[in-house]
């Protein structure tokens, strides 16, 4: 049974043979003729051939299909490889060594599958990158150029992918830089807003709603950035404007403060305004420094100060004016500026003139008047004296006319005394007038203007007075003559009748015109006192010094013969006297260098040298002083500009030999070791000499030690 | 003289003291480091609690003042007209600036020799955010060339960048003190100028010392309301910045560092004032060798330490006020003469010596 199965062809042949045999048997039975039999056999052969051909054709077609498929596969593979930019793995050399077509096909298929898979993966990558690029470029450039992600199937090479990645990366960098830029802008904007006191949220919402969100999804489009930039620009301009305004305000504020001496506490509140006065734009970062409210507040303060100033100014101007008037009154000058000031005050009130300007003007006037007053002072004093004398004169005349003047009433002795004085004074008047005239003439010559007294020319006053006096003199002479005549008559009468009549009342003496000198005399009554009271500027200081020197004297007297302690106490006395004390002389160990006080100093020298126990020492000290003075001189010479630095430096720096060689061995100023500084001072004040300049300047211990001397 | 007192009562004497007069000493604000400047041309850095000399810087001339920048650097002003920054770790210094003469060309040569001392300096750290000028530490120097100068220690390149400003003074600057943004400048001629550091263009106040004699030292109250000023004539004035009548009524001056001998006073210069950082009381040191502690508010003397061998040249409280550095060093007030050697004493400060005593209230 196994045989037919194992060899079907044989079986089939057997079957064909047996069938032919069976046919021959049948034909034999039927008795078919030979031709029929041949025809039948031919037909059979034809049919068989037909079947064969059909099968072969079919097989042939199959083979062609298979080849086609392989070729297709290879082509596709090649296309994919080329698209992906890879070398084709498979070449046509398979014809020789590869097996059957089917094997070949079977081998190529998985490759193709593999490549296809890779290709689709690659494509997906491309699409992904494309999409990302799209998204980012849309974010950056806006939605207008949206292109659906189409991947070019022909070129899927890694290089292209790389390119795309680079593009993407570039875009990402661009985006992040833009994001950063936006953040920066936002930060700038925020700081600007805070400085300007604006609502940051609102402003950025207007620019782009996404900016308000805190996470990084901010819009980065050109448009947004542009808008941000514009917004910043605008705010910066606003800031600059406001800053300008604030700085203007601060400037005027400072001026006002200076002008009105505003207390520090009041200034403190606006310290943060004024501190920005010179700041540049980027330096102003404090919150709300430039907000509308703040500027308004500053503005209010400035206008308050302004108001204060104008009111104060008016006050000040008026005060100054009264001062001016006062001075004029005291110096009997006619204040010619009154009307101008009046006008100025009105002008200030109406705001047409700067009060500071007016103030300055008045101050200049005051200075001028003061200066003039100073030059007039001497003459004015004389005028006062003269006028006083004139008053006395007229009083005396009045008094002389009083017949009852010798009646002893209350205070008569006082009047008598006054009259006595007045007579003496009146005698001096001509000399006074002469002196005054020459002084005035000299003054007028020097100044080239008339000396006026309350607007009246002093010389004419004097002249008038002289004329009057002359007149009076004449009258008096006439009177005297008359009296003489009367006397004679009386004498004659007496001779006749022997009785002496009471002295007759002088008839012709009219109440002579008062020694009036224009309006001055009457005014004098009220003003004279003021003039006298003018404080002498020096008197107080002088008396103080005098008093103190007295004290110093006292102290010294007390300790006159007490050696060392006297020295210190005397020095104290000097201290008290307010004299600048040079405690230590420049030369080491030299004991001198108290600056002689202007007046009180001299008396000390003899006293100190008299100190009994120390006579010798004092003498030696004197010598020492002279020497040290010389030394000082030489050193100050060394200090002159053209000495060589090295020379002086040697003196300064040399530690061991700080004392110049010329110095004598330092004499311990006092035997006691303790009471150091005081005793240094006591040597008698040396005569003023060349070293004066050096001695006039105080020096600290350190300066002395370094030999530091001012030129 | 010094034999009369036992060293214990004076405090612990530092080893390796300067070999010449001590011009100033200052405690650090951060540690117990002590910076000492001296006429022997050196600046020395001590660890006061460990009694160790940590660094020494030599200069071209006597050093007139010094101060800390932080614990790693400081500044010095020397007689060779230079301000130096001292780096403690490296023992190096660099020159911050030379004082420049404000005078014409012809005088410059001489000025360089005599005129241009930076004399006293202090350091200021400011962090006013609103004032762009003062966001950093500034160094301020006063000089005998009658100027005040501000330096920016960061600007190492060129003087223009280092020197922030120069402000002319009426006289030679003798002492400076700073509190908050107020700077008090005391000069010869008894001038006192008070500056606001935020506006240095001109003094906020110009005053004359209320004492009659040369100003020796000025120090601001730690609470910033005023300053104490001492003179060569044994007197200290307590002043207030506020110009209102109420404040000015509080000012006063008192005598100190005097010796009564047979009914007469001998008066000594008051060289140093140091405020206690905690209690606001202050110590004064004079040429009599005494250190006194005062309570300025109650006008009481709290304590007097036993006498030091020679003049007190400088005083400084440590940052917590537990230590007081005393420079006992002859200050040349009598010129060249034999004197006790210069020494630095570190003494512990008991609370009772510096704490203000409450006012005794009258029994109700």
């Amino acid at each position: 049974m196994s045989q037919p199965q194992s060899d079907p062809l044989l079986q089939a042949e057997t079957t064909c043979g047996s069938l032919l045999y069976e046919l021959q048997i049948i034909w034999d039975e039927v008795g078919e003729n030979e031709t029929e039999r041949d025809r039948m056999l031919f037909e059979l052969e034809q049919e068989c051939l037909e079947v064969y051909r059909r099968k072969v054709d079919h097989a042939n077609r199959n083979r062609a299909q298979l080849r086609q498929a392989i070729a297709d596969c290879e082509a596709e593979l090649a296309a994919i490889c080329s698209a992906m930019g890879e070398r084709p793995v498979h070449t046509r050399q398979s014809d020789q060594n590869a097996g059957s077509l089917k094997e070949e096909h079977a081998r190529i298929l998985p490759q193709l599958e593999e490549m296809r898979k890779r290709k689709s993966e690659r494509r997906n990558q491309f699409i992904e990158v494309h999409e990302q690029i799209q998204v980012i470029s849309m974010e950056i450039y806006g939605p207008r150029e949206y292109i659906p992600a189409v991947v070019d199937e022909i070129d899927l090479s890694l290089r292209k992918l790389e390119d795309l990645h680079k593009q993407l990366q570039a875009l990402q960098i661009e985006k992040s830089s833009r994001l950063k830029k936006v953040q920066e802008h936002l930060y700038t904007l925020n700081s600007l807003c805070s400085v300007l006191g604006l609502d940051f949220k609102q402003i950025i919402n207007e620019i782009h709603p996404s900016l308000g969100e805190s996470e990084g999804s901010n819009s980065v489009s050109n448009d947004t950035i542009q808008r941000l930039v514009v917004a910043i620009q605008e705010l910066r301009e606003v800031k600059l404007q406001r800053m300008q305004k604030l700085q203007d305000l601060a400037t005027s504020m400072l001026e006002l403060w200076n002008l009105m001496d505003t207390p520090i506490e009041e200034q403190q509140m606006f310290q943060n305004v004024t501190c920005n006065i010179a700041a540049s734009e980027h330096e102003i970062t404090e919150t709300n420094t430039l907000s509308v409210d703040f500027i308004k507040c500053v503005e209010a303060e400035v206008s308050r100060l302004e108001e204060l100033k104008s009111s104060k100014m008016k006050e000040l101007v008026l005060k100054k004016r009264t001062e001016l008037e006062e001075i004029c009154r005291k110096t009997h000058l006619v204040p010619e500026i009154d009307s101008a000031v009046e006008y100025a005050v009105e002008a200030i009130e109406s705001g047409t003139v700067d009060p500071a300007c007016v103030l300055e003007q008045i101050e200049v006037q005051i200075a001028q008047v003061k200066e003039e007053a100073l030059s007039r002072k001497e003459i004015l004093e004389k005028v006062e004296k003269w006028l006083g004398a004139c008053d006395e004169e007229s009083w005396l005349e009045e008094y002389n006319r009083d017949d009852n003047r010798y009646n002893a009433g209350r205070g008569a002795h006082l009047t008598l005394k006054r009259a006595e004085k007045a007579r003496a004074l009146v005698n001096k008047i001509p000399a006074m007038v002469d002196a005054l005239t020459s002084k005035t003439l000299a003054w007028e010559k020097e100044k080239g203007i008339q000396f006026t007294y309350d607007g009246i020319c002093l010389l004419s006053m004097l002249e008038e007075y002289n004329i009057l006096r002359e007149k009076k003199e004449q009258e008096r002479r006439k009177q005297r003559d008359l009296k003489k005549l009367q006397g004679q008559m009386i004498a004659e009468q007496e001779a006749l009748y022997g009785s002496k009549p009471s002295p007759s009342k002088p008839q012709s003496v009219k109440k002579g015109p008062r020694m009036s000198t224009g309006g001055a005399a009457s005014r004098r009554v009220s003003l004279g006192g003021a003039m006298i009271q003018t404080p002498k500027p020096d008197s107080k200081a002088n008396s103080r010094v005098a008093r103190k020197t007295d004290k110093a004297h006292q102290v010294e007297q007390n300790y006159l013969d007490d050696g060392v302690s006297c020295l210190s106490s005397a020095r104290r006395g000097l201290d008290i006297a307010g004299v600048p004390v040079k405690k230590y002389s420049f030369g080491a160990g030299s004991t001198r260098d108290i600056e002689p006080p202007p007046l009180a100093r001299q008396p000390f020298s003899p006293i100190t040298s008299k100190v009994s126990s120390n006579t010798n020492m004092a003498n030696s000290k004197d010598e020492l002083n002279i020497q040290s003075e010389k030394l000082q001189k030489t050193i100050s010479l060394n200090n002159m500009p053209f000495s060589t630095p090295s020379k002086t430096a040697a003196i300064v720096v040399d530690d061991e030999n700080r004392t110049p060689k010329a110095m004598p061995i330092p004499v311990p100023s006092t035997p006691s070791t303790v009471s150091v500084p005081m005793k240094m001072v006591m040597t008698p004040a040396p005569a003023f000499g060349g070293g004066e300049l050096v001695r006039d300047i105080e020096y600290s211990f350190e300066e002395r030690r370094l030999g530091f001397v001012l030129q | 003289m010094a034999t009369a007192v036992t060293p214990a009562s004076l405090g612990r004497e530092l080893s390796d003291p300067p070999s010449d007069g001590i011009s100033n000493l200052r405690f650090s604000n951060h540690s117990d480091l002590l910076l000492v400047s001296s006429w022997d041309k050196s600046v020395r850095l001590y660890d006061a609690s460990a009694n160790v000399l940590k660094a020494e810087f030599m200069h071209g001339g006597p050093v007139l003042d010094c101060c800390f920048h932080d614990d790693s650097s400081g500044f010095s002003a020397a007689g060779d007209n230079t301000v130096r920054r001292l780096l403690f770790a490296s023992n190096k210094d660099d020159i911050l600036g030379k004082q420049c003469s404000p005078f014409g060309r012809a005088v410059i040569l001489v000025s360089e020799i005599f005129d241009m001392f930076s004399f006293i300096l202090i350091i200021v750290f400011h962090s006013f955010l609103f004032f762009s000028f003062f966001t950093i530490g500034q160094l301020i120097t006063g000089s005998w060339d009658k100027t005040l100068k501000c330096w920016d220690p960061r600007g190492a390149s060129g003087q223009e960048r280092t020197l922030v400003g120069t402000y002319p003074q009426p006289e030679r600057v003798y002492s400076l003190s700073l509190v908050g943004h107020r700077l008090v400048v005391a000069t010869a001629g008894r001038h006192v100028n008070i500056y606001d550091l935020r506006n240095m263009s001109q003094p906020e106040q110009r005053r004359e010392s209320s004492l009659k004699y040369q100003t020796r030292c000025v120090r601001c109250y730690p609470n910033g309301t005023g300053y104490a000023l001492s003179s060569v004539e044994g007197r200290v004035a307590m002043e207030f910045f506020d110009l209102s009548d109420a404040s000015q009524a509080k000012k006063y001056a008192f005598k100190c560092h005097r010796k009564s001998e047979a009914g007469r006073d001998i008066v000594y210069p008051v060289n140093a004032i140091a405020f206690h950082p905690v209690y606001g009381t202050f110590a004064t040191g004079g040429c009599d060798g005494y250190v006194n502690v005062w309570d300025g508010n109650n006008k009481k003397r709290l304590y007097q330490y036993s006498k030091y061998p020679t003049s007190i040249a400088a005083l400084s409280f440590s940052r917590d006020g537990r230590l007081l550095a005393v420079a006992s060093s002859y200050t040349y007030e009598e010129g060249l003469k034999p004197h006790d050697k210069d020494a630095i004493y570190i003494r512990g400060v008991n609370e009772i010596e510096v704490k203000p005593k409450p006012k005794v209230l009258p029994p109700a």
Side-chain angles (χ1 to χ4, degrees), chain B residues 291-317:
Chain B
V291 175
N292 291 324
V293 183
W294 309 84
D295 178 357
N297 291 334
N298 297 325
K299 303 186 182 175
K300 286 276 182 333
R301 186 171 81 183
L302 294 174
Y303 208 81
Q304 180 171 52
Y305 295 122
S306 39
K307 189 170 184 306
Y308 284 89
T310 181
S311 310
I312 306 302
L315 291 169
S316 178
F317 279 106

Side-chain angles (χ1 to χ4, degrees), chain A residues 588-626:
Chain A
S590 83
T591 54
R592 190 216 2 100
D593 209 13
I594 185 157
E595 187 198 318
L599 294 169
R601 244 0 255 140
Q602 284 330 88
F604 283 103
S605 13
I607 293 167
T608 327
S609 57
K610 258 189 273 170
V611 171
S612 53
S613 59
N614 275 11
T615 315
N616 290 334
M617 213 175 103
N619 284 344
S620 70
K621 276 183 206 165
D622 278 349
E623 276 173 32
L624 195 62
N625 289 341
I626 293 158

Side-chain angles (χ1 to χ4, degrees), chain A residues 589 591 617 621 665-671:
Chain A
T591 54
M617 213 175 103
K621 276 183 206 165
I665 299 152
V667 180
S669 50
T670 57

Side-chain angles (χ1 to χ4, degrees), chain A residues 262-498:
Chain A
T262 311
I264 301 284
E265 301 82 66
E266 217 171 295
Q267 295 187 10
Q268 213 76 50
M269 294 189 328
F270 292 92
Q271 206 62 269
N272 54 346
V273 181
T274 47
C275 72
N276 282 332
I277 192 160
S280 50
E281 184 233 325
H282 63 91
E283 283 174 321
I284 299 181
T285 50
E286 204 183 336
T287 312
N288 273 342
T289 316
L290 295 174
S291 71
V292 179
D293 292 345
F294 187 68
I295 287 182
K296 264 187 194 150
C297 159
V298 174
E299 236 169 353
E301 173 70 8
V302 169
S303 62
R304 186 183 73 84
L305 287 171
E306 204 69 73
E307 253 168 54
L308 206 66
K309 173 188 148 189
S310 66
S311 67
K312 265 201 179 163
M313 269 299 182
K314 219 156 64 194
E315 225 169 83
L316 215 58
V317 166
L318 287 172
K319 211 168 82 188
K320 284 281 171 194
R321 194 184 63 169
T322 46
E323 190 186 333
L324 184 60
E325 279 171 2
E326 185 68 15
I327 293 172
C328 283
R329 213 149 44 87
K330 277 183 192 163
T331 55
H332 300 278
L333 278 168
V334 176
E336 53 209 273
I337 47 303
D338 260 10
S339 56
V341 171
E342 209 75 60
Y343 164 74
V345 170
E346 276 164 25
I348 291 166
E349 271 165 3
S350 64
T352 51
V353 178
D354 181 13
C357 190
V358 176
L359 203 62
E360 206 173 303
Q361 222 174 314
I362 294 180
E363 249 153 30
V364 168
Q365 281 172 352
I366 287 177
Q368 281 170 351
V369 168
K370 270 186 181 159
E371 204 178 314
E372 202 177 340
L374 208 67
S375 76
R376 287 164 58 98
K377 195 178 160 200
E378 204 183 343
I379 294 177
L380 274 180
E381 273 169 17
K382 280 201 183 332
V383 170
E384 291 304 327
K385 249 189 221 160
W386 169 57
L387 288 176
C390 287
D391 271 356
E392 281 305 278
E393 190 183 19
S394 57
W395 175 83
L396 188 64
E397 262 169 48
E398 203 82 47
Y399 174 74
N400 279 340
R401 275 198 292 274
D402 185 359
D403 291 330
N404 295 329
R405 62 182 181 270
Y406 298 125
N407 287 356
R410 244 171 92 187
H413 63 291
L414 289 178
T415 344
L416 212 58
K417 229 177 218 168
R418 183 178 168 188
E420 217 169 287
K421 264 190 196 158
R423 264 177 219 119
L425 195 62
V426 168
N427 283 337
K428 281 190 216 154
I429 287 183
M432 254 187 218
V433 171
D434 281 352
L436 196 53
T437 314
S438 63
K439 267 248 154 66
T440 314
L441 279 172
W443 188 90
E444 286 189 348
K445 203 173 164 191
E446 191 191 322
K447 301 269 165 183
I449 48 166
Q450 277 200 335
F451 190 100
T452 56
Y453 188 85
D454 288 338
I456 299 154
C457 177
L458 182 64
L459 280 178
S460 68
M461 275 165 69
L462 289 166
E463 215 166 302
E464 201 181 321
Y465 174 80
N466 274 341
I467 292 167
L468 261 173
R469 194 179 170 78
E470 200 75 27
K471 260 193 209 158
K472 239 197 252 173
E473 201 64 37
Q474 278 177 2
E475 217 162 83
R476 210 172 290 153
R477 229 175 290 139
K478 241 195 270 168
Q479 194 98 32
R480 228 180 357 242
D481 289 349
L482 202 71
K483 227 179 191 174
K484 225 192 236 167
L485 217 63
Q486 270 182 343
Q488 273 175 0
M489 271 166 63
I490 289 166
E492 278 168 27
Q493 276 180 351
E494 202 175 358
L496 287 177
Y497 308 107

